[in-house]
Structure formats: structure tokens, C-alpha cells
Amino acid sequence: MLAAALLAAAKVQARTPLDFFKAPEAKLPLLENTTRLDMADYFESGMSVDSKNIVDDPVRILGADSTSMKFRDSSLTESTLSLLTTGPDTLLVLTQTIRMPQLDGRVQVYDKSWQPLADGTVPDYSLDDWLTEAGKADRDEVESRLPFILATPAFDPATRRLTWTNTMMSMLAGDEMAADVAKWLRPAISYSWNGKKFKLDKN
């Protein structure tokens, strides 16, 4: 009985992102459960075949390993599901890059039953987080000219660090204010997992 219990525990610990992706309770509203299972079957069989999401967009799994998997879940969105090990528990970090057409993104953290963690687990970044020394000196000007900041997220399971990359320059290509924005804003900011939430790294 002890051996069986240990084996069962080992199997739970060995769950991969693909296993969580296939779970019936997965919080991926554009992908029905049967669609996710089809996507997984195609990927595991080495077949380059698209499935269809609920709005008939082509979707597929782009890659997967023991700690993360990347998939296209709509014509405008690519997502990465990663495992975050925290003590004896495992959390799921879902990062999404959205083409608006400029690149933007979002992040959500779930427990292993796909229940979202409390608000504040992934803090909303603020303008102050992005400002360089030049940006701080010109803060009033920055606020008046930049009503929002676009950025894309990436989570590294090895370091447990969430990095946001500024994508404002793609929107401002050729614009006369591009040089100012490049001077005012950091190219990226990062947050590290402290056991309960992501906390801004000091730059």
C-alpha cells in the first residue's frame, strides 16, 4: 500500500503542462475540451494539423516540454502555459501575447485545479515601473503623451521570473516621438515569485 501511494504521488508530481492543458477544467474559453484533446493528439503524433476553436480560427500546439508549452489559441493570440513550483505545490502560469495589431499581453496564475489565484498575485505594472532616469525627469511630459503602455509577458520556470517587454516602439515606428519614448521607458521590467505573488525586481 505504501509503494502504491508513493507511485501515485510521483505520478501527480510528474504532470506536465500538456496534462494540465488536456484537463476538463482548463480555463481556456476559446478551446473546448474536445478541441484541446485533438490538439494534443496531433502534437504527440508529430502531425502538423490545425484544429478549430469556437470561432473557427485555426489553432495548434507549437511546442511543449516538462515545464512549459506554447500554443496558438486564436488567429490573434499565442499562449504559453508554464508550471510554477512553489514548495510542495504546483501552480499554472498562463501568459498570452495578443496582436491588436500591436503586441500586448496578459498573465493569469491558477492552482493545479485551474482555479484563479487571488487578485494581486500578478500586480498590474504602473508607469513608474517603466520609467528610466530620463523618464522620471520628464514624468509630466511622459504622462501627457503616453496614455498607456503596451507590453508582452514571458515567464521562465527555471528562475520563476516574469518579464514584461515593452512593445511601444512597434507602434511608434517612424513617429517623431519614438526617440523620446526609447529614452523614457525601460525596454523590459521583471517580477520574481516570492512564494505568494510576483514582486517587482529592483533595477
Side-chain angles (χ1 to χ4, degrees):
M1 291 179 63
L2 177 59
L6 292 173
L7 180 60
K11 287 182 178 178
V12 169
Q13 293 173 352
R15 291 179 74 184
T16 67
L18 194 57
D19 293 326
F20 288 105
F21 177 82
K22 294 188 289 185
E25 64 270 21
K27 296 289 195 302
L28 298 167
L30 290 175
L31 303 176
E32 296 178 329
N33 188 45
T34 53
T35 302
R36 297 197 310 276
L37 293 176
D38 286 343
M39 292 167 67
D41 284 344
Y42 291 141
F43 176 76
E44 292 174 318
S45 300
M47 300 172 63
S48 298
V49 178
D50 286 333
S51 299
K52 296 287 187 178
N53 68 10
I54 62 171
V55 294
D56 214 32
D57 281 346
V59 295
R60 72 166 66 185
I61 295 173
L62 303 173
D65 58 27
S66 61
T67 59
S68 65
M69 64 173 292
K70 187 174 183 179
F71 55 98
R72 185 174 64 240
D73 45 349
S74 81
S75 59
L76 300 176
T77 309
E78 285 188 2
S79 301
T80 300
L81 180 64
S82 303
L83 304 187
L84 169 57
T85 302
T86 174
D89 203 3
T90 297
L91 301 177
L92 311 177
V93 180
L94 182 67
T95 58
Q96 296 181 297
T97 295
I98 308 160
R99 294 176 177 83
M100 304 178 54
Q102 287 77 28
L103 296 179
D104 197 21
R106 59 191 175 204
V107 180
Q108 179 67 61
V109 181
Y110 303 90
D111 66 20
K112 58 190 175 185
S113 297
W114 279 98
Q115 294 303 305
L117 269 60
D119 291 344
T121 302
V122 183
D124 292 331
Y125 54 70
S126 68
L127 177 61
D128 288 334
D129 299 337
W130 288 100
L131 291 177
T132 62
E133 290 304 317
K136 292 175 184 176
D138 294 336
R139 195 182 197 287
D140 290 344
E141 181 71 6
V142 177
E143 282 190 298
S144 68
R145 297 177 70 183
L146 295 179
F148 54 82
I149 296 176
L150 301 178
T152 56
F155 175 68
D156 183 348
T159 61
R160 306 201 299 178
R161 181 173 290 120
L162 173 66
T163 299
W164 288 93
T165 299
N166 165 9
T167 61
M168 294 297 290
M169 296 306 293
S170 65
M171 182 176 68
L172 298 171
D175 192 291
E176 61 181 14
M177 68 180 287
D180 287 336
V181 172
K183 176 180 65 176
W184 290 334
L185 300 182
R186 302 178 188 278
I189 57 175
S190 62
Y191 294 75
S192 294
W193 182 256
N194 68 3
K196 293 183 179 180
K197 65 179 183 178
F198 285 102
K199 186 175 182 180
L200 181 68
D201 293 329
K202 298 296 183 181
N203 294 299

Short mmCIF file of all heavy atoms in Angstrom, two decimals, residues 20-21 23-31 36 71 73 79 81 92 94 96 106 108-111 113-116:
data_model
loop_
_atom_site.label_atom_id
_atom_site.label_comp_id
_atom_site.label_asym_id
_atom_site.label_seq_id
_atom_site.Cartn_x
_atom_site.Cartn_y
_atom_site.Cartn_z
N PHE A 20 -2.06 19.30 -17.92
CA PHE A 20 -3.00 20.31 -17.42
C PHE A 20 -3.80 20.94 -18.55
O PHE A 20 -4.97 21.28 -18.37
CB PHE A 20 -2.22 21.40 -16.67
CG PHE A 20 -1.69 20.95 -15.34
CD1 PHE A 20 -0.34 20.68 -15.17
CD2 PHE A 20 -2.53 20.78 -14.25
CE1 PHE A 20 0.16 20.27 -13.95
CE2 PHE A 20 -2.05 20.36 -13.02
CZ PHE A 20 -0.69 20.10 -12.86
N PHE A 21 -3.19 21.08 -19.72
CA PHE A 21 -3.88 21.61 -20.89
C PHE A 21 -5.06 20.72 -21.28
O PHE A 21 -6.12 21.21 -21.71
CB PHE A 21 -2.88 21.70 -22.05
CG PHE A 21 -3.44 22.17 -23.36
CD1 PHE A 21 -3.62 23.52 -23.61
CD2 PHE A 21 -3.76 21.26 -24.36
CE1 PHE A 21 -4.12 23.96 -24.84
CE2 PHE A 21 -4.26 21.69 -25.59
CZ PHE A 21 -4.44 23.04 -25.82
N ALA A 23 -6.81 18.84 -19.25
CA ALA A 23 -7.76 18.64 -18.16
C ALA A 23 -9.12 19.27 -18.49
O ALA A 23 -9.18 20.36 -19.06
CB ALA A 23 -7.21 19.25 -16.88
N PRO A 24 -10.21 18.60 -18.16
CA PRO A 24 -11.55 19.13 -18.48
C PRO A 24 -11.82 20.50 -17.89
O PRO A 24 -12.58 21.28 -18.45
CB PRO A 24 -12.50 18.07 -17.89
CG PRO A 24 -11.68 16.82 -17.81
CD PRO A 24 -10.27 17.27 -17.53
N GLU A 25 -11.18 20.81 -16.74
CA GLU A 25 -11.45 22.07 -16.05
C GLU A 25 -10.59 23.23 -16.55
O GLU A 25 -10.68 24.35 -16.02
CB GLU A 25 -11.26 21.90 -14.54
CG GLU A 25 -9.83 21.57 -14.11
CD GLU A 25 -9.54 20.08 -14.07
OE1 GLU A 25 -10.27 19.31 -14.74
OE2 GLU A 25 -8.59 19.68 -13.37
N ALA A 26 -9.77 23.01 -17.56
CA ALA A 26 -8.86 24.05 -18.04
C ALA A 26 -9.62 25.32 -18.41
O ALA A 26 -10.65 25.28 -19.09
CB ALA A 26 -8.07 23.54 -19.24
N LYS A 27 -9.10 26.47 -17.97
CA LYS A 27 -9.75 27.77 -18.21
C LYS A 27 -9.20 28.39 -19.51
O LYS A 27 -8.43 29.35 -19.49
CB LYS A 27 -9.51 28.70 -17.03
CG LYS A 27 -10.12 28.25 -15.71
CD LYS A 27 -11.63 28.37 -15.75
CE LYS A 27 -12.24 28.28 -14.35
NZ LYS A 27 -11.93 27.05 -13.63
N LEU A 28 -9.61 27.84 -20.63
CA LEU A 28 -9.20 28.33 -21.95
C LEU A 28 -10.48 28.47 -22.78
O LEU A 28 -10.84 27.57 -23.54
CB LEU A 28 -8.21 27.36 -22.60
CG LEU A 28 -6.90 27.17 -21.82
CD1 LEU A 28 -6.11 25.98 -22.36
CD2 LEU A 28 -6.06 28.44 -21.90
N PRO A 29 -11.17 29.60 -22.64
CA PRO A 29 -12.53 29.72 -23.19
C PRO A 29 -12.64 29.56 -24.69
O PRO A 29 -13.72 29.19 -25.18
CB PRO A 29 -12.96 31.13 -22.74
CG PRO A 29 -11.70 31.85 -22.41
CD PRO A 29 -10.77 30.80 -21.90
N LEU A 30 -11.58 29.83 -25.44
CA LEU A 30 -11.66 29.67 -26.90
C LEU A 30 -11.49 28.23 -27.35
O LEU A 30 -11.74 27.90 -28.51
CB LEU A 30 -10.61 30.55 -27.58
CG LEU A 30 -10.84 32.06 -27.53
CD1 LEU A 30 -9.65 32.79 -28.14
CD2 LEU A 30 -12.14 32.44 -28.25
N LEU A 31 -11.04 27.37 -26.42
CA LEU A 31 -10.73 25.98 -26.79
C LEU A 31 -11.59 25.02 -25.97
O LEU A 31 -11.39 24.87 -24.75
CB LEU A 31 -9.25 25.68 -26.53
CG LEU A 31 -8.24 26.58 -27.24
CD1 LEU A 31 -6.82 26.23 -26.81
CD2 LEU A 31 -8.38 26.46 -28.76
N ARG A 36 -9.01 20.70 -27.39
CA ARG A 36 -7.70 20.58 -26.73
C ARG A 36 -7.17 19.16 -26.84
O ARG A 36 -5.97 18.94 -27.06
CB ARG A 36 -7.81 21.01 -25.27
CG ARG A 36 -8.18 22.48 -25.09
CD ARG A 36 -7.88 22.97 -23.68
NE ARG A 36 -8.41 22.11 -22.65
CZ ARG A 36 -9.66 22.17 -22.19
NH1 ARG A 36 -10.51 23.07 -22.69
NH2 ARG A 36 -10.08 21.35 -21.25
N PHE A 71 1.12 27.42 -27.43
CA PHE A 71 0.06 27.06 -28.35
C PHE A 71 -0.60 28.31 -28.90
O PHE A 71 -0.59 29.38 -28.29
CB PHE A 71 -0.98 26.15 -27.69
CG PHE A 71 -1.60 26.70 -26.43
CD1 PHE A 71 -2.83 27.35 -26.46
CD2 PHE A 71 -0.95 26.56 -25.20
CE1 PHE A 71 -3.41 27.84 -25.31
CE2 PHE A 71 -1.53 27.07 -24.03
CZ PHE A 71 -2.75 27.70 -24.09
N ASP A 73 -4.09 29.84 -29.70
CA ASP A 73 -5.50 29.58 -29.36
C ASP A 73 -6.47 30.48 -30.11
O ASP A 73 -7.68 30.35 -29.94
CB ASP A 73 -5.75 29.66 -27.86
CG ASP A 73 -5.11 30.85 -27.20
OD1 ASP A 73 -4.29 31.53 -27.83
OD2 ASP A 73 -5.41 31.10 -26.01
N SER A 79 -0.31 31.63 -26.67
CA SER A 79 -0.24 31.48 -25.22
C SER A 79 0.84 30.49 -24.82
O SER A 79 1.18 29.59 -25.59
CB SER A 79 -1.60 31.00 -24.68
OG SER A 79 -2.63 31.91 -25.00
N LEU A 81 1.70 28.05 -21.41
CA LEU A 81 1.31 27.52 -20.11
C LEU A 81 2.55 26.93 -19.45
O LEU A 81 3.17 26.01 -20.00
CB LEU A 81 0.23 26.45 -20.27
CG LEU A 81 -0.28 25.79 -18.99
CD1 LEU A 81 -0.97 26.82 -18.09
CD2 LEU A 81 -1.23 24.64 -19.31
N LEU A 92 -0.04 27.08 -12.10
CA LEU A 92 -0.05 27.21 -13.56
C LEU A 92 0.02 28.68 -13.92
O LEU A 92 -0.79 29.48 -13.45
CB LEU A 92 -1.32 26.59 -14.15
CG LEU A 92 -1.69 25.19 -13.67
CD1 LEU A 92 -3.02 24.76 -14.31
CD2 LEU A 92 -0.60 24.20 -14.00
N LEU A 94 -0.24 31.22 -17.00
CA LEU A 94 -0.66 31.36 -18.39
C LEU A 94 -0.31 32.76 -18.87
O LEU A 94 -0.83 33.75 -18.37
CB LEU A 94 -2.17 31.13 -18.51
CG LEU A 94 -2.75 31.21 -19.93
CD1 LEU A 94 -2.24 30.06 -20.80
CD2 LEU A 94 -4.28 31.21 -19.89
N GLN A 96 -0.07 35.31 -22.24
CA GLN A 96 -0.67 35.43 -23.57
C GLN A 96 -0.16 36.68 -24.28
O GLN A 96 -0.05 37.75 -23.68
CB GLN A 96 -2.19 35.49 -23.47
CG GLN A 96 -2.80 34.21 -22.90
CD GLN A 96 -4.30 34.26 -22.82
OE1 GLN A 96 -4.85 35.08 -22.10
NE2 GLN A 96 -4.98 33.41 -23.57
N ARG A 106 -1.22 39.52 -21.46
CA ARG A 106 -1.84 39.38 -20.15
C ARG A 106 -1.31 38.12 -19.49
O ARG A 106 -0.79 37.21 -20.15
CB ARG A 106 -3.35 39.35 -20.26
CG ARG A 106 -3.91 38.24 -21.13
CD ARG A 106 -5.39 38.43 -21.40
NE ARG A 106 -5.89 37.45 -22.33
CZ ARG A 106 -6.98 37.63 -23.09
NH1 ARG A 106 -7.66 38.76 -23.01
NH2 ARG A 106 -7.38 36.68 -23.92
N GLN A 108 -2.21 35.25 -16.15
CA GLN A 108 -3.09 34.75 -15.10
C GLN A 108 -2.41 33.55 -14.45
O GLN A 108 -1.78 32.74 -15.14
CB GLN A 108 -4.45 34.34 -15.66
CG GLN A 108 -5.42 33.78 -14.63
CD GLN A 108 -5.87 34.81 -13.62
OE1 GLN A 108 -6.47 35.82 -13.96
NE2 GLN A 108 -5.56 34.58 -12.35
N VAL A 109 -2.55 33.44 -13.13
CA VAL A 109 -1.99 32.30 -12.40
C VAL A 109 -3.15 31.50 -11.80
O VAL A 109 -4.08 32.07 -11.22
CB VAL A 109 -1.04 32.77 -11.27
CG1 VAL A 109 -0.45 31.56 -10.54
CG2 VAL A 109 0.10 33.62 -11.86
N TYR A 110 -3.07 30.18 -11.95
CA TYR A 110 -4.10 29.26 -11.45
C TYR A 110 -3.47 28.23 -10.53
O TYR A 110 -2.27 27.94 -10.62
CB TYR A 110 -4.76 28.52 -12.61
CG TYR A 110 -5.39 29.39 -13.66
CD1 TYR A 110 -4.66 29.83 -14.76
CD2 TYR A 110 -6.74 29.76 -13.57
CE1 TYR A 110 -5.25 30.62 -15.74
CE2 TYR A 110 -7.32 30.55 -14.55
CZ TYR A 110 -6.57 30.98 -15.64
OH TYR A 110 -7.15 31.76 -16.60
N ASP A 111 -4.31 27.65 -9.65
CA ASP A 111 -3.83 26.47 -8.94
C ASP A 111 -3.95 25.27 -9.87
O ASP A 111 -4.40 25.39 -11.01
CB ASP A 111 -4.58 26.28 -7.61
CG ASP A 111 -6.06 25.94 -7.78
OD1 ASP A 111 -6.47 25.49 -8.88
OD2 ASP A 111 -6.82 26.12 -6.81
N SER A 113 -5.93 22.96 -10.03
CA SER A 113 -7.30 22.63 -10.41
C SER A 113 -7.89 23.70 -11.32
O SER A 113 -9.10 23.73 -11.55
CB SER A 113 -8.18 22.47 -9.17
OG SER A 113 -7.73 21.40 -8.37
N TRP A 114 -7.04 24.58 -11.82
CA TRP A 114 -7.43 25.67 -12.72
C TRP A 114 -8.34 26.69 -12.05
O TRP A 114 -9.14 27.35 -12.72
CB TRP A 114 -8.09 25.13 -13.99
CG TRP A 114 -7.11 24.65 -15.02
CD1 TRP A 114 -6.71 23.38 -15.24
CD2 TRP A 114 -6.40 25.45 -15.99
NE1 TRP A 114 -5.80 23.32 -16.28
CE2 TRP A 114 -5.60 24.58 -16.75
CE3 TRP A 114 -6.38 26.82 -16.29
CZ2 TRP A 114 -4.78 25.02 -17.80
CZ3 TRP A 114 -5.58 27.26 -17.32
CH2 TRP A 114 -4.78 26.37 -18.07
N GLN A 115 -8.19 26.86 -10.74
CA GLN A 115 -8.89 27.94 -10.06
C GLN A 115 -7.97 29.16 -10.01
O GLN A 115 -6.81 29.04 -9.59
CB GLN A 115 -9.29 27.53 -8.64
CG GLN A 115 -10.33 26.41 -8.61
CD GLN A 115 -11.58 26.78 -9.38
OE1 GLN A 115 -12.19 27.81 -9.12
NE2 GLN A 115 -11.97 25.94 -10.32
N PRO A 116 -8.42 30.35 -10.45
CA PRO A 116 -7.55 31.52 -10.46
C PRO A 116 -7.15 31.93 -9.06
O PRO A 116 -7.96 31.88 -8.12
CB PRO A 116 -8.41 32.60 -11.14
CG PRO A 116 -9.81 32.13 -10.99
CD PRO A 116 -9.77 30.64 -10.98
#
